[in-house]
Amino acid sequence: EALPETAVPARNTVEETVSAGFLSEAVNSFLSTLSPDACTIFIQRYGNGRTIAEIAHMYHISANKAALSLMRTRIRLKNFGK
């Protein structure tokens, strides 16, 4: 699942448009490395702005499990491409 196009703000200059395209590509490349569950939780939180409690309720998991998944995914993102 990729981030919705609306997750990347509209740009005015060619340079900003190209930069946004590279960023979108990099994020989608990272998302493709995640398990389906981790990807879905990450997209719900950062792509759709859902709270941890909402995500936990939606997927019938504990809030702790959702938060732990997000923490691990953020660590993976931080180290992605190093």
Side-chain angles (χ1 to χ4, degrees):
E1 186 173 350
L3 281 176
E5 290 297 320
T6 56
V8 179
R11 305 290 184 191
N12 295 328
T13 68
V14 172
E15 292 83 9
E16 289 172 330
T17 301
V18 170
S19 220
F22 283 127
L23 177 60
S24 181
E25 234 178 81
V27 170
N28 287 329
S29 177
F30 169 71
L31 292 175
S32 72
T33 69
L34 300 176
S35 71
D37 289 344
C39 183
T40 299
I41 290 170
F42 190 81
I43 294 289
Q44 287 299 326
R45 179 72 179 117
Y46 298 109
N48 299 330
R50 303 231 192 266
T51 66
I52 290 172
E54 289 172 326
I55 294 167
H57 179 75
M58 287 171 63
Y59 297 105
H60 307 286
I61 59 176
S62 70
N64 189 54
K65 182 174 180 175
L68 187 58
S69 174
L70 288 166
M71 182 190 73
R72 288 178 177 156
T73 302
R74 285 191 306 270
I75 290 169
R76 287 187 68 184
L77 178 57
K78 182 178 177 182
N79 295 318
F80 185 70
K82 283 188 176 181

